[in-house]
Amino acid sequence: MSSRLFSLLLKASLLVRILASPVPPQPQVAAPYDVIVVGSGPAGVIIASRLSENSSRKVLLLEGGGPSYWVTGGREGPAWLAGTNLSRVDVPGLYSSIYSNPSTNLLCQNKIRAYGACTIGGNAAINAGLFYEPPASDFNLYFPTGWKYADLVPSINRLYQTQPSTNNPSLDGLYYQQSGYTAAKQWLVTNAGYSELDINANAARKTKVFGHPVYDYANGKRGGPVISYLQTALNRPNFQLQSGTWVQRIVRTGSQATGVLVNVGGVTSTIPLTSKGRVIVSGGALKSPELLMKSGIGDPAVLTTLAQANQLGGLPSSQWINNTAVGDKLFDNPNTFIEMEGPSLQAYTYQYDTPIPADRDLYLAKKAGHYSFAGGSCSFWDTVARADGTVAGVQGGLGPAGYQAYTNAMTVTMNIYGTSGLKSTGKVVLGASPDFLPGPSGNVYYSNPQDAQDIATFIRRLFDALPGTGLKPLNLDPASSVARIVAYITSWTPYTRGQVNHWSSSCRIGSCVDADTVVVGTRNVHVVDASIVAPLSVNPQMGVMIAAERAWERVNKLMMV
């Protein structure tokens, strides 16, 4: 390792540890590690933290991006946060500002051909923080042996014990933006026969259920594994977090990984593994397949293209690992916005630089009010049974305000997703030379027409329950037939075919990785992130965390041999 790279790595290590933990830095950056985890998103943080509980293991968590939360060194934020020890990431109500006031420090800049975070915490540092337990049926129907619900109960319990969550995040105990909740309750519970309930306390129920959103917040601030897992891990002398470190490829001999090639400030070098060490790839459902491909693991046709562009570091074709499941079956929720107007609705618009003074002051003084949560009043679920006996999951929610052409004071956005059981998937495809950046193929959404039929059926049911509520859809005629709704939601408008960026399922258990999360064709390379998670009935964040807890059990057992 060059002296310049060592100096850069040491400085970054010192910065992370000083800001995130009082534990003295570990200067032995070039020494072999027992575990190298690539990516500090929710899954990467959890499995790195868990594996470091064994004090005999040296665990290195690598992150290409930089700080996010205040505790990690993040300092980006509007002027009204000056002197508060809060960054924009810490304030839940600034969630949506990532779209109106994008951050070059938090978002992946020229790293993926999609929307996502490249920072400590990954997408958990920029998303709404929704924290829904998947129903048991998701695991029993869509996951392989060893990953059924009964296998995952200990993982779910550990996650609840470690990660705080709440459906009432304002520390004054009050719910805010309840005009939408009240209107939706009449619409869905009174008219449509939904059950109002505590969502996670009734996680198994995902047919006609309605309730308050659940968030992984703590003490009125954004939570997540960076707060609940990482801070504990940083106090262990055998654990190290290294940010600003981009992993270019996994170094290996045949099926055995021996280290990772990293780039820090334009300087490349190899961080080695011990002889029994393991690389765990946790870069997310787009970045993880990219790293495998650029490490010579994937579809031979893709590897040939990369080799011709000198992207495999001279790895001979005899060392390639044929695994066509890498990047395959990529999933995202097809998304539709329906703008709802009603005389009882009161829209609320979050502001990054100039929040309403009373709302700003309430949050800063008491961690209460509108800025104590990401916005929106309710979430609801249903299922659509098909003629072949299969079931599609569907989900909705009301946001705090309208969108695009519909932004009056009595309009809010209803967000409709298709979830588990959908049939459309795509692939992770690499873009053009010279960077070959990963992104989704064009067939992720509605490539199977059954999905549009299922979602349109859900919307038609919702419209059927509207009479008497005073609510009116503005961008879609409530008298529309299912066929008309299908045509609308599959068309290209500002309200349809939206990328939710809930990327998952691109390296599935049983094809891309085995039940121990080992990449097929390798001995000690794992994938642990949303890539291994099948499409779920809920926002995927909690499911990804559960998968990381379960993966820890499997990997830990392998390492104990």
Side-chain angles (χ1 to χ4, degrees):
M1 175 175 286
S2 71
S3 60
R4 181 187 171 198
L5 177 60
F6 179 85
S7 175
L8 286 166
L9 290 170
L10 179 55
K11 288 177 181 177
S13 172
L14 282 165
L15 177 61
V16 167
R17 285 181 172 271
I18 288 169
L19 292 169
S21 169
V23 174
Q26 298 288 303
Q28 308 266 338
V29 176
Y33 285 87
D34 300 299
V35 179
I36 299 175
V37 179
V38 182
S40 71
V45 167
I46 288 174
I47 195 164
S49 175
R50 289 296 187 199
L51 288 171
S52 71
E53 290 175 352
N54 184 329
S55 61
S56 67
R57 287 187 196 129
K58 289 187 62 180
V59 177
L60 177 63
L61 175 59
L62 296 176
E63 170 56 49
S68 50
Y69 301 73
W70 181 276
V71 74
T72 69
R75 297 295 181 265
E76 182 176 332
W80 60 274
L81 292 183
T84 64
N85 290 350
L86 297 169
S87 78
R88 69 184 294 173
V89 170
D90 295 291
V91 182
L94 292 180
Y95 146 69
S96 61
S97 71
I98 200 69
Y99 304 103
S100 59
N101 298 77
S103 167
T104 57
N105 296 322
L106 300 173
L107 297 175
C108 295
Q109 300 294 311
N110 302 317
K111 295 297 182 182
I112 59 175
R113 293 181 296 108
Y115 204 85
C118 289
T119 188
I120 296 173
N123 285 337
I126 67 167
N127 64 24
L130 291 168
F131 190 73
Y132 296 123
E133 180 182 338
S137 58
D138 280 358
F139 300 111
N140 292 336
L141 287 172
Y142 307 119
F143 283 67
T145 299
W147 288 76
K148 302 298 186 183
Y149 179 72
D151 303 308
L152 291 163
V153 168
S155 300
I156 294 169
N157 290 341
R158 281 196 310 275
L159 179 60
Y160 274 124
Q161 291 163 6
T162 310
Q163 176 58 57
S165 61
T166 179
N167 66 3
N168 188 9
S170 181
L171 295 191
D172 61 6
L174 301 177
Y175 286 103
Y176 290 78
Q177 299 174 22
Q178 289 306 285
S179 68
Y181 191 93
T182 301
K185 182 176 178 179
Q186 179 189 352
W187 174 20
L188 299 175
V189 177
T190 303
N191 289 15
Y194 280 57
S195 297
E196 182 184 20
L197 43 73
D198 182 321
I199 300 300
N200 279 357
N202 297 272
R205 298 180 59 181
K206 287 295 175 284
T207 298
K208 288 195 170 184
V209 296
F210 162 86
H212 291 286
V214 184
Y215 304 96
D216 63 356
Y217 302 161
N219 302 315
K221 299 187 291 184
R222 180 187 292 273
V226 166
I227 303 301
S228 54
Y229 286 81
L230 182 60
Q231 301 312 305
T232 301
L234 284 165
N235 285 307
R236 300 181 185 124
N238 60 314
F239 176 91
Q240 185 166 347
L241 166 64
Q242 179 66 58
S243 63
T245 305
W246 294 100
V247 176
Q248 295 185 319
R249 70 179 63 91
I250 299 164
V251 180
R252 58 183 179 82
T253 301
S255 61
Q256 183 78 19
T258 59
V260 294
L261 182 71
V262 301
N263 183 309
V264 179
V267 180
T268 60
S269 189
T270 298
I271 300 176
L273 280 175
T274 59
S275 60
K276 294 184 178 181
R278 294 181 179 271
V279 173
I280 299 175
V281 182
S282 299
L286 298 177
K287 289 291 289 179
S288 288
E290 176 204 21
L291 180 58
L292 293 179
M293 293 173 192
K294 291 181 177 178
S295 302
I297 305 167
D299 187 322
V302 175
L303 302 186
T304 298
T305 299
L306 290 172
Q308 290 170 348
N310 197 29
Q311 291 287 311
L312 298 183
L315 187 73
S317 59
S318 61
Q319 294 287 305
W320 296 358
I321 294 174
N322 182 349
N323 186 333
T324 56
V326 171
D328 195 25
K329 294 184 171 58
L330 176 70
F331 180 80
D332 186 27
N333 303 107
N335 168 239
T336 300
F337 286 169
I338 300 177
E339 303 307 309
M340 304 296 296
E341 183 183 67
S344 65
L345 295 177
Q346 298 174 3
Y348 186 86
T349 302
Y350 288 91
Q351 297 290 340
Y352 183 73
D353 289 307
T354 57
I356 295 170
D359 295 342
R360 175 200 65 201
D361 295 344
L362 179 60
Y363 180 75
L364 292 178
K366 298 183 177 180
K367 300 298 182 290
H370 294 279
Y371 283 81
S372 67
F373 68 112
S377 59
C378 65
S379 295
F380 51 93
W381 286 262
D382 201 359
T383 51
V384 177
R386 303 178 180 126
D388 63 3
T390 60
V391 173
V394 282
Q395 176 181 345
L398 290 185
Y403 179 67
Q404 286 276 349
Y406 306 99
T407 56
N408 68 44
M410 297 184 297
T411 299
V412 301
T413 299
M414 179 170 66
N415 198 356
I416 297 295
Y417 298 159
T419 62
S420 59
L422 296 194
K423 298 185 176 184
S424 301
T425 60
K427 287 178 176 287
V428 176
V429 293
L430 301 182
S433 178
D435 297 318
F436 296 94
L437 299 180
S441 61
N443 58 340
V444 173
Y445 311 102
Y446 301 124
S447 53
N448 188 311
Q450 183 65 54
D451 295 348
Q453 185 75 19
D454 296 335
I455 295 167
T457 298
F458 176 47
I459 294 172
R460 182 62 261 162
R461 289 178 188 170
L462 295 174
F463 285 178
D464 287 341
L466 278 173
T469 64
L471 300 177
K472 178 184 177 182
L474 300 178
N475 58 317
L476 180 60
D477 185 346
S480 297
S481 65
V482 169
R484 173 69 188 93
I485 297 171
V486 167
Y488 178 70
I489 67 176
T490 57
S491 65
W492 295 95
T493 78
Y495 310 96
T496 54
R497 300 186 72 102
Q499 285 189 347
V500 184
N501 300 298
H502 289 170
W503 304 111
S504 72
S505 314
S506 57
C507 188
R508 300 198 187 199
I509 303 169
S511 55
C512 181
V513 298
D514 66 17
D516 290 321
T517 70
V518 177
V519 176
V520 173
T522 75
R523 297 177 60 190
N524 63 335
V525 178
H526 300 254
V527 174
V528 178
D529 59 20
S531 306
I532 67 171
V533 176
L536 299 172
S537 298
V538 295
N539 300 66
Q541 180 162 265
M542 185 176 180
V544 171
M545 296 183 197
I546 292 168
E549 283 278 10
R550 177 58 174 160
W552 165 70
E553 295 174 350
R554 306 286 302 215
V555 176
N556 189 56
K557 186 175 181 180
L558 291 178
M559 297 192 74
M560 297 298 286
V561 175

